[in-house]
Amino acid sequence: MGLLFNGLITSGKVANYNRRINMTIQAVLIVVLFLISSEAFAGWDVSNQRETDGHKTVAGELFTDTDLTSSVGKTTPSAPQEEASTTSEAASPETQQEAGNDDKNFAPGDWLLAFGLDDQIFPAAIIALSTLDPENIGVQRDSKTFGSPLAMASVFIRAVNPGDRVTVEITSTKLIRPSRMTVTLPDAENVYEISPHLKYEYEKLLSIRQPYPEDITAKVFVNGEEVGEHTQTVIVRSVNDCFFGLYTNGGQRFEDWSEMFAAYVNEGDPIIDEILSEALHKGYVDAFIGYQGEESDVALQLKAIWKALQDKGFKYSSISTTSVESDVVAVQHVRLVGDSTRGAQANCADGAVLLASIFRKIGLDAYLILLPNHMMVGVSSSAEKDSPVIPIETTLLASCDLEQAKDSGIEQINEYNDNPSAVTYISINGAREAGILPLRNLY
């Protein structure tokens, strides 16, 4: 057994702590999909929605070095703009919050366009969840809901006559190609949600590094005739803005979706191969073999990676401010793997996703470890199911060796021995199995 792991296992510092994923990733995504579709409306049966009383302060101040309180405590500076609908008496914005629960707000023929996540588009979330099949993770469609819960934009409509055939087309200025869906509404009493599968321009989403306004337009056709057009202005966020939670019930409840950070772990980025090649060229290790050898071999590989990154002159950077503020969504700025490497700077989140990317590339089980006000990286010491996770403090990359970074990680974990639920372990393997895709850098 390698020296790196002797202290961990004999002391019991890590072997006995509560290594948990804060919820099965599939269950978390059920909640994510529900609220991405349209946080203000009912329609999707979410069976595993979680309530975290008293968790708002922790989630809203996730990382000390990034000060997330600046990004979740204020109102968004740009309110959605609306054009007059050509339908008869479109429902007012005040009725949107109750539309899914009170069909009386809609007269026959009324419809409106609704957009989730505080009227913001998060490219990272769209891309990361783009291939996910909601039904495979237990999302059941309500009888009043048609289409994709991933669409984010939905039209709510009440038919004039039972059997009305309704076509909804949604498009946007730059990011959404015309996307249509046609359904038959069985009655004229209920309000139905129609959410076409949106045809996003994924390459454009990946290229967005600054927020800007985007117009989302919906057209509605009833029995083949266009009955109206409605446009809403939303804010498109940077691909670096990681949406990791939502405040609901007037801010009294926080839905924690920190699993979305796993999208920034990109084991396929070409820069990872360059880092590994440099470590081999300098003789820090003979080969990267993952768990094929002994635990001592795993320790040598970790040390080699640490040294190779130190050779690149990495510096700690607390830059993390997002350009858009909201009191509804919790957001953290995270650099893509290639950006951190080229700039040779990283905050705690950046360093954690970079090292997790490298660990996963060589076949190690990597984790993002979230503590109140901080993030670290973790790696299993062996391929055994119950092997301890080694916490590593990535902000020490510029100033300390790996042993010191490991000791710092253990010390921080131990601070929560009396409150182990305050420590969250996001399994990158689990995220990939659930369908969370890595974000690709455009070089």
Side-chain angles (χ1 to χ4, degrees):
M1 186 175 295
L3 292 176
L4 181 63
F5 305 126
N6 280 338
L8 282 169
I9 295 175
T10 57
S11 68
K13 288 181 177 178
V14 173
N16 295 323
Y17 70 60
N18 179 21
R19 187 178 102 185
R20 70 179 186 92
I21 309 301
N22 61 339
M23 193 177 187
T24 58
I25 291 179
Q26 285 87 348
V28 172
L29 288 178
I30 289 175
V31 185
V32 174
L33 298 179
F34 168 69
L35 289 168
I36 281 181
S37 173
S38 178
E39 78 226 26
F41 298 92
W44 289 87
D45 178 16
V46 184
S47 58
N48 289 311
Q49 192 160 316
R50 139 182 65 168
E51 192 160 332
T52 52
D53 294 335
H55 186 56
K56 177 177 176 179
T57 301
V58 173
E61 301 173 353
L62 192 54
F63 310 132
T64 300
D65 60 328
T66 58
D67 189 16
L68 277 182
T69 55
S70 65
S71 64
V72 298
K74 303 176 183 177
T75 55
T76 180
S78 180
Q81 303 171 10
E82 299 184 354
E83 293 182 2
S85 172
T86 56
T87 59
S88 61
E89 272 222 94
S92 67
E94 288 78 11
T95 66
Q96 293 187 21
Q97 297 297 323
E98 301 176 358
N101 298 319
D102 188 358
D103 294 346
K104 295 179 181 179
N105 288 320
F106 281 67
D110 279 356
W111 68 276
L112 62 81
L113 169 65
F115 206 85
L117 296 182
D118 200 24
D119 297 319
Q120 299 178 53
I121 292 177
F122 287 87
I126 291 170
I127 294 167
L129 302 176
S130 60
T131 63
L132 197 72
D133 184 349
E135 293 187 2
N136 284 345
I137 58 171
V139 177
Q140 302 297 319
R141 286 190 294 183
D142 184 271
S143 60
K144 298 181 184 179
T145 304
F146 299 93
S148 170
L150 288 175
M152 295 187 70
S154 301
V155 163
F156 288 80
I157 186 169
R158 182 176 175 184
V160 175
N161 300 300
D164 278 348
R165 190 166 176 80
V166 177
T167 297
V168 170
E169 178 183 287
I170 296 178
T171 187
S172 77
T173 313
K174 298 178 181 179
L175 299 177
I176 304 172
R177 301 192 303 277
S179 306
R180 282 195 168 205
M181 184 176 192
T182 300
V183 302
T184 299
L185 302 184
D187 61 66
E189 303 300 322
N190 294 298
V191 174
Y192 289 89
E193 177 183 5
I194 304 174
S195 306
H197 175 80
L198 300 183
K199 301 175 182 178
Y200 289 106
E201 297 282 0
Y202 291 106
E203 293 294 301
K204 291 181 180 178
L205 287 172
L206 283 168
S207 69
I208 297 168
R209 297 305 181 97
Q210 297 183 61
Y212 73 91
E214 176 95 350
D215 287 338
I216 309 291
T217 298
K219 294 181 180 180
V220 172
F221 304 80
V222 177
N223 299 323
E225 295 185 9
E226 183 174 345
V227 298
E229 177 178 308
H230 182 83
T231 297
Q232 181 170 328
T233 301
V234 301
I235 298 297
V236 181
R237 302 293 294 261
S238 165
V239 72
N240 298 107
D241 288 348
C242 178
F243 156 69
F244 70 89
L246 185 80
Y247 292 102
T248 59
N249 293 350
Q252 299 303 309
R253 175 173 168 178
F254 184 80
E255 299 291 349
D256 179 9
W257 306 325
S258 50
E259 286 77 8
M260 296 307 297
F261 285 109
Y264 291 85
V265 176
N266 183 7
E267 58 273 25
D269 194 295
I271 201 70
I272 304 299
D273 287 328
E274 293 181 19
I275 294 170
L276 296 175
S277 295
E278 290 177 13
L280 293 172
H281 178 73
K282 293 179 179 180
Y284 294 152
V285 69
D286 293 332
F288 288 104
I289 58 175
Y291 292 124
Q292 295 180 37
E294 304 294 329
E295 286 191 359
S296 58
D297 296 312
V298 174
L300 290 175
Q301 293 172 82
L302 298 182
K303 289 181 179 179
I305 292 167
W306 190 264
K307 288 181 180 179
L309 290 175
Q310 285 186 322
D311 289 346
K312 287 186 170 293
F314 264 84
K315 303 294 183 183
Y316 169 76
S317 169
S318 63
I319 297 174
S320 62
T321 303
T322 58
S323 300
V324 179
E325 297 178 337
S326 172
D327 59 355
V328 176
V329 291
V331 182
Q332 161 72 29
H333 182 90
V334 183
R335 294 178 178 91
L336 300 181
V337 168
D339 296 337
S340 295
T341 306
R342 287 197 304 271
Q345 57 180 335
N347 59 35
C348 66
D350 303 331
V353 299
L354 172 59
L355 278 162
S357 300
I358 302 174
F359 295 161
R360 180 166 167 79
K361 178 70 174 183
I362 64 174
L364 302 180
D365 294 335
Y367 294 81
L368 299 178
I369 304 177
L370 278 65
L371 300 83
N373 310 315
H374 196 43
M375 181 189 283
M376 299 188 295
V377 71
V379 59
S380 294
S381 59
S382 75
E384 297 298 323
K385 181 179 180 180
D386 296 325
S387 63
V389 173
I390 314 304
I392 300 172
E393 176 52 78
T394 61
T395 63
L396 298 179
L397 183 59
S399 58
C400 298
D401 61 29
L402 183 59
E403 290 292 329
Q404 293 171 306
K406 176 202 68 175
D407 290 342
S408 176
I410 296 171
E411 181 178 351
Q412 292 179 68
I413 293 291
N414 285 342
E415 292 178 6
Y416 298 95
N417 283 341
D418 295 333
N419 184 23
S421 63
V423 183
T424 300
Y425 298 81
I426 300 172
S427 166
I428 305 306
N429 286 346
R432 295 293 180 263
E433 291 172 2
I436 297 179
L437 295 178
L439 296 173
R440 178 170 58 91
N441 208 334
L442 296 179
Y443 291 105

